[in-house]
Amino acid sequence: MPGNTDEGIDLAYGLEEKPPLSKSFLLALQHVSVMIVPSTAVAFIVAGAAGLSSADTTFLVQMVILFAGVATVVQAYAVGPVGAKLPIVMGTSFAFVGAMSSIGASSGLDVVFGSIVAAAVVVPFLLGWQFKRLQSFFPPLVTGLIVIIIGLYLVPVGIQYAAGGVGAEDFGSMQNLGLAGLVLTISVLFNLLLKGVWRMLSVIIGISAGYVVAIMFGVVDFTPFYEAAWIAVPTLGRFGFSFELVPLLTFAFLFLVSGMETIGDMSGITAAEGRNPTTEEFRGGIFADGFISALGAVFGSFPQTSFSQNVGIINFTGVMSRHIVGIGGGILIVLGLVPKIGAIVTTIPSAVFGGAVLIMVGMVAASGMRLLFLNIEMNRRNMVIIATALGLGLGVATVPNALSGLPSGTQTFFGEPVIVTGLVALALNTFVPGESSPLFDRADTVPPISEPVDDD
């Protein structure tokens, strides 16, 4: 097993290692437990906005789970050029919720799925196809900032879950905060004080303890389990397909956001080894974002993208094996085809997940910080770029009303913290002289990725 390195973290299992099957299954289940509720929540939100029946809503939820599993397996093992061969857990991102809800309510889900299919094929394909030419524009300074902002802007989501979930009648109650605090405390203490399997399974142990306590307090609703069917069969084009220009452009932009998030998440994963992803890993990961999203939309699934919470799990537990994530993808496929099993996971209260999500998103931000500290010199140029990119990105994330005077399309564009941070970092790093700039550096003097870069 890999030991300590100067650049990465202490990995219990490396990228290609295969733990024993029983341990692998539990580690994979840990990944699934963290992502399944927020991913399926997107389906519930959009279904509600579009006024779908309970049967159609259940179908959407199952397709989201099923194709999250397909996309995760493809990322872990790859199909030709599609897939990064990295431990990337896929799911439906909240970045798509606003557009899918508004377009679904006003124009129908046929327009939503038509736009997803078209945009998912074109944007990620172009981004991945030309990534070798574009890679020099995404050095650790840029990707590290993207990873940091992904973690930081998700912190409020973790707090909302910990308090009971937005709209909950008991939001912020002592019971919810106590459950979240229990999960967080157990996960942190097991991770810091214990070794071996107890440390690696710290998150799922914390969630399990919180779930048991929630059952004891009578706050777990098993209705979704009783009402769920045993088998769900994918149906081709259940909601139809239509195309309109504005929704198509909107989803094209959102897939650009998704691509930047995937770039950041892949960088967060390989930061555990003290490196940036290779060109092939970047390209394969971006291709998978697009092609699996397009395939899923044909059957009624929403866009699939990398899940940042699971990047946090990798860095928190030190388990980087892509084979474990591949097993997690298989679990998701089974859950997508057998709703009765998947419904068990959806009975876990939001507060229980909140304690785990808070740790995960914090670890995402921390992995981005490591990526910066390992690979760049904290000189004046780089610190100004970091300050400007994070200041603007966090600004629009915490005070979105500050953009209310802008046109609606501009608000949508500049209201995305990942895009703002990424574009600001990209522009400043590109056009301000320094060795990490693709316009001013010298190919014969560029240091390896694990060595600090001095731009003075």
Side-chain angles (χ1 to χ4, degrees):
M1 294 183 188
N4 289 320
T5 68
D6 293 335
E7 298 86 10
I9 63 174
D10 183 11
L11 290 176
Y13 291 101
L15 183 63
E16 298 296 338
E17 290 189 280
K18 298 179 179 180
L21 184 59
S22 59
K23 184 184 293 185
S24 295
F25 180 81
L26 290 174
L27 290 167
L29 192 62
Q30 183 168 250
H31 275 288
V32 171
S33 67
V34 168
M35 61 73 63
I36 193 168
V37 169
S39 186
T40 54
V42 173
F44 282 112
I45 293 170
V46 177
L52 296 187
S53 66
S54 58
D56 283 340
T57 300
T58 300
F59 179 83
L60 276 181
V61 170
Q62 294 309 132
M63 292 304 100
V64 164
I65 295 174
L66 173 62
F67 282 94
V70 172
T72 299
V73 171
V74 170
Q75 288 284 30
Y77 296 109
V79 178
V82 181
K85 293 187 178 180
L86 288 174
I88 303 173
V89 177
M90 303 288 282
T92 298
S93 170
F94 276 93
F96 292 91
V97 171
M100 292 192 297
S101 297
S102 59
I103 295 171
S106 61
S107 302
L109 285 182
D110 56 329
V111 176
V112 170
F113 286 115
S115 300
I116 290 173
V117 171
V121 170
V122 175
V123 176
F125 172 74
L126 292 177
L127 184 59
W129 177 42
Q130 293 297 320
F131 195 81
K132 187 172 184 179
R133 297 182 180 181
L134 300 173
Q135 188 171 10
S136 62
F137 291 87
F138 293 92
L141 177 59
V142 175
T143 56
L145 284 169
I146 294 174
V147 176
I148 291 173
I149 197 65
I150 288 172
L152 293 181
Y153 96 90
L154 286 175
V155 168
V157 175
I159 288 292
Q160 289 169 355
Y161 272 99
V166 176
E169 294 182 0
D170 59 347
F171 187 84
S173 68
M174 287 296 296
Q175 180 174 271
N176 287 335
L177 296 179
L179 286 172
L182 175 67
V183 174
L184 188 148
T185 300
I186 291 176
S187 299
V188 170
L189 291 180
F190 270 57
N191 189 276
L192 294 179
L193 302 180
L194 301 181
K195 297 180 180 180
V197 67
W198 297 107
R199 177 177 68 82
M200 290 184 286
L201 293 174
S202 55
V203 175
I204 196 171
I205 291 171
I207 292 175
S208 299
Y211 189 44
V212 170
V213 172
I215 293 174
M216 293 171 59
F217 276 96
V219 298
V220 177
D221 180 10
F222 289 101
T223 303
F225 171 76
Y226 296 130
E227 294 181 347
W230 280 105
I231 300 294
V233 180
T235 303
L236 184 68
R238 175 163 175 159
F239 300 98
F241 304 96
S242 297
F243 302 92
E244 295 180 9
L245 180 60
V246 173
L248 181 57
L249 294 177
T250 300
F251 280 102
F253 156 68
L254 288 173
F255 274 105
L256 177 61
V257 175
S258 173
M260 295 188 74
E261 286 193 85
T262 299
I263 288 170
D265 286 340
M266 284 191 285
S267 300
I269 289 170
T270 58
E273 295 181 325
R275 67 179 179 90
N276 234 13
T278 65
T279 301
E280 289 73 21
E281 288 170 339
F282 270 132
R283 182 186 296 116
I286 295 169
F287 278 165
D289 254 21
F291 290 130
I292 305 302
S293 292
L295 175 64
V298 171
F299 289 93
S301 172
F302 292 139
Q304 300 294 329
T305 188
S306 57
F307 248 58
S308 302
Q309 295 95 317
N310 297 85
V311 178
I313 285 185
I314 291 169
N315 286 275
F316 188 65
T317 62
V319 178
M320 192 182 173
S321 170
R322 66 187 175 103
H323 303 291
I324 288 173
V325 166
I327 293 172
I331 293 173
L332 286 169
I333 291 173
V334 172
L335 296 180
L337 294 174
V338 186
K340 185 71 77 174
I341 299 176
I344 297 175
V345 181
T346 64
T347 64
I348 300 177
S350 295
V352 172
F353 279 111
V357 171
L358 277 173
I359 302 172
M360 296 305 102
V361 297
M363 284 300 296
V364 172
S367 66
M369 294 175 190
R370 186 196 312 115
L371 198 60
L372 293 183
F373 295 152
L374 288 176
N375 297 290
I376 70 168
E377 182 71 23
M378 285 297 172
N379 53 42
R380 180 178 56 82
R381 172 193 185 268
N382 292 342
M383 289 183 68
V384 170
I385 293 175
I386 292 170
T388 306
L390 287 181
L392 290 173
L394 282 176
V396 300
T398 55
V399 191
N401 291 337
L403 306 178
S404 58
L406 299 177
S408 58
T410 307
Q411 285 185 50
T412 301
F413 187 86
F414 289 108
E416 290 289 340
V418 175
I419 281 292
V420 171
T421 298
L423 288 181
V424 171
L426 179 64
L428 291 178
N429 183 69
T430 299
F431 295 108
V432 175
E435 289 202 2
S436 64
S437 166
L439 300 183
F440 296 97
D441 65 354
R442 291 179 297 168
D444 59 337
T445 61
V446 176
I449 195 68
S450 60
E451 296 181 7
V453 176
D454 189 351
D455 286 302
D456 281 340

